[in-house]
Amino acid sequence: MNNPILECNGIAAGYVKGLNILQGVDLVVSEGEIVSIIGPNGAGKSTLLKAIMGLINISAGRFFIEGLEKTNLPTHKIVNEGVGYVPQVQNVFPSLTIEENLEMGSWSLGKNAKQSINELYQEFPLLEERRKEKAGNLSGGQRQILALARALVTSPKLLLLDEPSAGLSPLAIDDVFKTIKNINLKGVSILLVEQNAKRALKFSNRGYVLDQGRNAYQGTGTDLLDDPRVVDLYLGKL
Amino acid sequence: MIDQLGNGLLLGIIISVASVALSLLYSVTRIVNFAHGEIIALGAIMTLFFSNPVDSRVIYLDRFSPLGLDFVISAFLAVILCGVFGGLLELILFRPLRKAEVGNIAILVVTIGLSIFIRHLYLIFATGRVQNFPLELERRVTYLFFDMTPRNFRVLIAGIIVMVLIGLLLTFTRIGKAMRAVRDSGELASISGINSDNIILITWISSSMLAGLAGIFQGVINDIRYNMGFLILLLVFAGTVLGGIGTSFGAMVGGLLIGIFVQVSVAFPFMEGHIEAKNAVALGLMIVILLFRPQGIFGQKERIS
Ligand SMILES: Nc1ncnc2c1ncn2[C@@H]1O[C@H](COP(=O)(O)OP(=O)(O)OP(=O)(O)O)[C@@H](O)[C@H]1O
Ligand SMILES: [Mg+2]
C-alpha cells in the first residue's frame, strides 16, 4: 500500500468542553485513495472533518499529515499543509462573485493565484462563463461545483468532502461524483463523507462506518457493501 | 429650505463617514459597537490636543499641556492613534471575548459599558467644556445652491473622496475582498486559508480610523465636546439602518440622507421655535422608510437556501 497521507489515532473532540462527540476515531487515508465515511445522522462524521481542520478542539488523540503531527493547528495553517475542505453547509461565499470565491480559495498562493484560477477555469468552463456572477445566485449543483473548485485552487494533496451530493438532483449528483473521480485521478487523495452510502462505498477504495463517535467497521468498499452487519445497520433502509 | 441643504450635507458627511465605519465593523465582526461614538470623539479630542497652541492652558490638566502642532498633521496623527486604539480594543478585549465564545448580546453590553467608561475618562481629562480647533474664522461662500465656509467645503470634498476610496478598497483589493469574505462566513474564510483574526484586526483599525476622521470633521464643522460622539451616535445608527445594515454603500447614502433630513427639517414651518426637536423628523422619516423597505434602502433580503 502507498504512504499514508492522513493518519488519525484515537481522535476525541467535541463542541463543548468535557462533552466529546468523537470518542477515539482511528482512520488512515493513503496517497491516491478515495476513502469514505458512512454512518447514521449524528454519528460525528462532520465533526471528524471539523476536528482535522482545526475548527474544533481535539482533546485526545492526534493526527498526522504525511507523517508530521498537525493536531490542533489553526485552520488557515492546516490549509497551507495541503488539505482542502468542503464543508457540508455554507461552502461558498454567497455575496462574493465566483471569481472572488476562487480568489479567496487561493489566498495562500499570493501572486500565483491568477494562474491557478485560470487553470481551474479550463476544467470548469461553467465557472468561467459566470465568473462575475454572485455565488449566491448559483443553483445547488453549480454551488457544489464552485465549492469543490474553491477547495481545489490551491492544488491540495488531500481533499475532505462533507456530503457533496446532499440535496442535489440525480443528474447533479452524477456530475459531482464524476468531478470527484476526475480530481482523484489527478492524484488527490479524498476523504468523503456521504449519506448516499451504497454509492459512496462502490465509488471508494475503502470505507469506515462511524457510529456514536467511534469506528464500528472498516474495510474495502465492496467488503462493507457485502457485510450483513453493515447492511443491517446502515444500508438496509437506503 | 435650500439654505439648510448645505448644513445638511455637512452633517450628512459626518454621519456618513461614521456610519460606513460602524457598518464595516458590524458586518465583519457582528459587533454592534456602542463605543463607536467615543472613538469618534477620540479623533477630535486628540486633534485638539496636538494642535492647540502651547500657551493655552484651558483644556487639559497642566501636565497634559497641548503641543501646538500644525492642524493637518495633528489630524493625521489623531487618525492613526484612533486606529491604534481600535486595534488594541480588538487585541485586549474583543478577541479574548470572541475566543471565549461570549454571545453577541453580552458583547453589545460590553460596548455600552466601554462607551460610558471612556466618555467619563474624557470628561476628566478633556473637561466638560465646549472647545474649538485653533482655526481662523471664515466667511461663508456660495457653492452652487448652498453656502458654507471654504474650510467646510473642503471637509465635504475630503469626506466624499474618503468614501469613494473605501468603496474602491473594499471592491478591488485583496484585503477588501477578504473582509467581505469574513462577513459572509469567518469559518469558510479560515478554511480558504485566510487568517480571520488578522482580517478582523484590520477591520477594527480601519473602522476606528474612519470614526476618528468623522470626529475631526465634526470638530471642524461644529465643536468638540467630551460627549460629541455619544450625541451623534443615534444618528449614525439611523444612517446605517436606513441604508441597509452591513452594506457600506448603503451606510454612505443613509448617513447623508439622515444629515440632510435633520437639517432641512429645521426649515419646516411647524418646526419654528422647536429646533431642538430636529432629530425627531429625521428619525420619524427613517421609521417610515423602513416600514416600506424593511431591509433598508440598499440592503438585500437574506436569501434562504
Ligand atoms: N455546532 C455544534 N455545536 C454543538 N453540537 C453539535 C454541533 N454540530 C454538531 N453537534 C452535535 O454533534 C453530533 C455529531 O454531529 P455531526 O454533524 O458530526 O453528525 P454527522 O455524522 O455529520 O451527521 P449528518 O449525517 O446528519 O450530517 C450531533 O449529536 C450533533 O448534535
Ligand atoms: Mg454531517
Side-chain angles (χ1 to χ4, degrees):
Chain A
M1 187 168 277
N2 287 335
N3 294 331
I5 189 151
L6 172 71
E7 192 179 346
C8 299
N9 294 336
I11 298 257
Y15 297 89
V16 192
K17 263 210 178 86
L19 190 73
N20 282 335
I21 303 284
L22 301 177
Q23 330 212 358
V25 177
D26 302 311
L27 172 149
V28 176
V29 180
S30 300
E31 257 172 39
E33 265 191 321
I34 300 181
V35 172
S36 54
I37 306 175
I38 60 169
N41 293 121
K45 305 179 298 288
S46 300
T47 306
L48 176 64
L49 300 192
K50 287 185 206 163
I52 294 170
M53 289 310 296
L55 292 168
I56 57 173
N57 189 50
I58 296 177
S59 54
R62 31 173 65 186
F63 75 90
F64 305 84
I65 290 169
E66 293 188 310
L68 299 174
E69 178 166 5
K70 303 294 173 193
T71 317
N72 286 331
L73 221 58
T75 307
H76 63 275
K77 292 200 174 139
I78 295 278
V79 177
N80 296 340
E81 297 296 328
V83 182
Y85 168 50
V86 180
Q88 185 171 357
V89 289
Q90 289 189 13
N91 49 23
V92 298
F93 299 108
S95 78
L96 269 56
T97 65
I98 290 176
E99 182 143 287
E100 286 168 344
N101 266 273
L102 297 176
E103 285 173 21
M104 292 303 106
S106 57
W107 181 262
S108 57
L109 300 180
K111 285 209 169 71
N112 302 325
K114 262 244 124 55
Q115 199 192 338
S116 310
I117 292 175
N118 284 333
E119 283 167 20
L120 209 65
Y121 278 152
Q122 314 213 310
E123 275 171 68
F124 303 101
L126 173 104
L127 296 182
E128 180 164 29
E129 243 167 67
R130 308 185 63 172
R131 52 201 271 236
K132 295 286 173 214
E133 259 176 73
K134 292 242 156 72
N137 297 338
L138 294 176
S139 74
Q142 295 165 337
R143 213 188 265 220
Q144 247 354 308
I145 297 289
L146 174 61
L148 277 172
R150 186 202 51 72
L152 275 179
V153 63
T154 48
S155 319
K157 297 173 278 201
L158 171 67
L159 202 52
L160 313 180
L161 304 176
D162 199 346
E163 302 203 16
S165 72
L168 300 187
S169 70
L171 220 63
I173 294 182
D174 286 346
D175 215 32
V176 167
F177 271 98
K178 214 183 294 161
T179 309
I180 297 172
K181 190 77 203 171
N182 282 335
I183 295 166
N184 176 248
L185 289 174
K186 296 213 169 77
V188 182
S189 314
I190 288 173
L191 181 59
L192 174 69
V193 169
E194 258 297 333
Q195 277 301 319
N196 196 338
K198 270 187 188 154
R199 175 150 198 177
L201 288 176
K202 269 190 210 137
F203 177 80
S204 319
N205 302 98
R206 290 186 307 113
Y208 290 83
V209 179
L210 208 66
D211 192 12
Q212 298 182 25
R214 285 194 181 83
N215 318 50
Y217 305 102
Q218 53 179 296
T220 65
T222 39
D223 280 356
L224 286 177
L225 276 171
D226 295 338
D227 189 327
R229 294 169 306 177
V230 175
V231 174
D232 265 7
L233 272 172
Y234 309 114
L235 298 179
K237 36 193 184 294
L238 287 174
Chain B
M1 207 174 280
I2 291 286
D3 289 348
Q4 287 299 334
L5 191 61
N7 290 339
L9 279 174
L10 287 172
L11 180 60
I13 204 77
I14 302 169
I15 299 174
S16 203
V17 172
S19 297
V20 169
L22 186 75
S23 160
L24 186 67
L25 186 75
Y26 172 77
S27 58
V28 175
T29 65
R30 301 287 137 178
I31 293 175
V32 178
N33 184 15
F34 273 84
H36 194 63
E38 278 51 59
I39 306 177
I40 293 174
L42 184 66
I45 292 173
M46 289 322 292
T47 305
L48 183 68
F49 174 62
F50 289 134
S51 65
N52 236 19
V54 180
D55 59 338
S56 136
R57 290 166 162 260
V58 277
I59 324 152
Y60 301 94
L61 303 177
D62 273 353
R63 44 206 164 98
F64 291 97
S65 116
L67 300 178
L69 297 179
D70 173 70
F71 179 74
V72 174
I73 295 178
S74 306
F76 187 74
L77 287 177
V79 167
I80 299 215
L81 265 177
C82 286
V84 171
F85 181 69
L88 286 177
L89 280 183
E90 154 69 4
L91 291 176
I92 297 172
L93 190 57
F94 290 100
R95 182 173 295 178
L97 288 174
R98 188 167 66 248
K99 299 293 172 199
E101 296 183 6
V102 173
N104 284 349
I105 299 289
I107 288 190
L108 183 145
V109 175
V110 167
T111 70
I112 294 177
L114 194 66
S115 156
I116 297 172
F117 174 70
I118 300 176
R119 191 154 70 246
H120 288 91
L121 282 186
Y122 294 161
L123 184 59
I124 296 169
F125 288 104
T127 81
R129 212 183 271 262
V130 177
Q131 317 272 348
N132 280 293
F133 289 132
L135 297 168
E136 281 164 40
L137 287 179
E138 286 181 335
R139 221 175 256 291
R140 284 169 170 249
V141 181
T142 304
Y143 298 92
L144 294 173
F145 321 100
F146 41 84
D147 349 315
M148 56 180 72
T149 63
R151 183 180 300 123
N152 285 354
F153 186 68
R154 286 202 296 276
V155 165
L156 186 62
I157 299 297
I160 292 168
I161 291 174
V162 164
M163 289 201 288
V164 171
L165 274 179
I166 298 295
L168 292 175
L169 288 176
L170 276 176
T171 315
F172 295 111
T173 65
R174 231 163 102 79
I175 297 283
K177 288 174 192 173
M179 283 179 179
R180 289 186 286 132
V182 174
R183 172 188 68 193
D184 273 9
S185 161
E187 194 166 290
L188 187 59
S190 310
I191 294 163
S192 303
I194 298 170
N195 184 345
S196 305
D197 279 346
N198 281 349
I199 300 298
I200 289 175
L201 177 63
I202 293 170
T203 306
W204 264 103
I205 294 173
S206 355
S207 166
S208 304
M209 289 172 77
L210 278 175
L213 186 68
I216 296 170
F217 287 175
Q218 197 186 356
V220 172
I221 293 168
N222 301 319
D223 46 39
I224 302 135
R225 312 163 187 234
Y226 80 100
N227 60 351
M228 59 192 285
F230 180 66
L231 294 177
I232 207 171
L233 187 67
L234 187 59
L235 295 179
V236 175
F237 274 122
T240 310
V241 172
L242 180 62
I245 293 172
T247 77
S248 301
F249 183 68
M252 288 177 197
V253 177
L256 265 180
L257 284 179
I258 290 285
I260 292 169
F261 289 166
V262 168
Q263 291 298 353
V264 168
S265 69
V266 172
F268 292 152
F270 61 83
M271 289 292 286
E272 229 178 276
H274 304 289
I275 290 189
E276 64 284 10
K278 61 187 178 182
N279 288 0
V281 176
L283 296 175
L285 260 172
M286 177 195 80
I287 293 172
V288 171
I289 292 180
L290 288 180
L291 278 176
F292 288 99
R293 247 192 104 73
Q295 71 273 38
I297 301 176
F298 292 98
Q300 283 178 347
K301 283 212 173 93
E302 292 278 314
R303 195 183 135 129
I304 301 156
S305 55

